[in-house]
């Protein structure tokens, strides 16, 4: 099945829709309406039935949004690394107490976790 690309770019309260390969342009208020809004025009322009092609809507986003998403993803990756390091340090701390022959109940109390969690930390 053929796929026709439609770009959607915000202009005020409207999404401006354009398919360069079909030479079709339209607008809608919501991205949810983009496919239906463009299907008839694309079919007419390309001489196809409306069920003979799929539409791929590519949203054109502001550069500021793209920068902020990239920053958020970088921070999320950094947080994951930090969380993994913290978990490793937490397990090492529990093992240090276990090496001193403390019970898991005592380790749990000292570390502020349940004795079940202390047992998990010591054994992992």
């Amino acid at each position: 099945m053929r796929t026709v690309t439609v770009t959607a770019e915000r202009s005020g309260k409207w999404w401006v829709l354009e398919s360069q390969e079909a030479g079709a342009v339209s607008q809608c208020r919501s991205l949810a309406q983009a496919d239906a809004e463009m299907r008839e025009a694309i079919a007419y322009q390309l001489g196809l039935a409306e069920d003979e092609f799929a539409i791929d809507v590519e949203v054109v986003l502001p550069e500021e949004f793209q920068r902020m998403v990239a920053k958020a993803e970088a921070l999320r990756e950094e947080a994951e690394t930090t969380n993994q390091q913290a978990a490793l340090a937490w397990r090492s701390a529990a093992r240090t107490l276990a090496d001193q022959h403390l019970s898991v109940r005592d380790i749990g109390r000292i570390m502020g976790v349940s004795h079940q969690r202390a047992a998990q930390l010591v054994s992992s």
Side-chain angles (χ1 to χ4, degrees):
M1 177 178 277
R2 181 175 180 176
T3 300
V4 178
T5 301
V6 172
T7 59
E9 187 168 3
R10 195 69 176 177
S11 178
K13 294 183 179 183
W14 295 90
W15 286 99
V16 176
L17 309 171
E18 180 180 6
S19 172
Q20 288 188 348
E21 67 187 279
V25 177
S26 190
Q27 63 184 15
C28 60
R29 290 269 190 177
S30 167
L31 285 174
Q33 302 165 329
D35 189 294
E37 188 64 38
M38 290 295 287
R39 186 161 295 279
E40 183 179 351
I42 291 170
Y44 176 78
Q45 290 292 98
L46 297 179
L48 300 171
E50 290 186 25
D51 61 353
E52 289 183 323
F53 60 93
I55 295 177
D56 179 29
V57 177
E58 293 181 355
V59 180
V60 178
L61 299 167
E63 287 183 28
E64 178 67 14
F65 171 80
Q66 293 173 0
R67 278 195 301 276
M68 296 310 293
V69 167
K71 181 178 180 178
E73 288 173 351
L75 288 170
R76 182 181 297 145
E77 289 176 16
E78 184 180 319
E80 286 179 23
T81 300
T82 301
N83 285 339
Q84 290 171 355
Q85 292 171 345
L88 180 61
W90 200 243
R91 289 191 299 274
S92 295
R95 283 193 210 108
T96 299
L97 293 177
D99 290 345
Q100 298 297 313
H101 307 291
L102 275 73
S103 70
V104 291
R105 288 192 181 274
D106 286 346
I107 293 170
R109 182 171 179 142
I110 291 166
M111 295 183 72
V113 298
S114 69
H115 69 276
Q116 294 93 338
R117 179 67 182 133
Q120 289 174 338
L121 291 169
V122 169
S123 66
S124 61

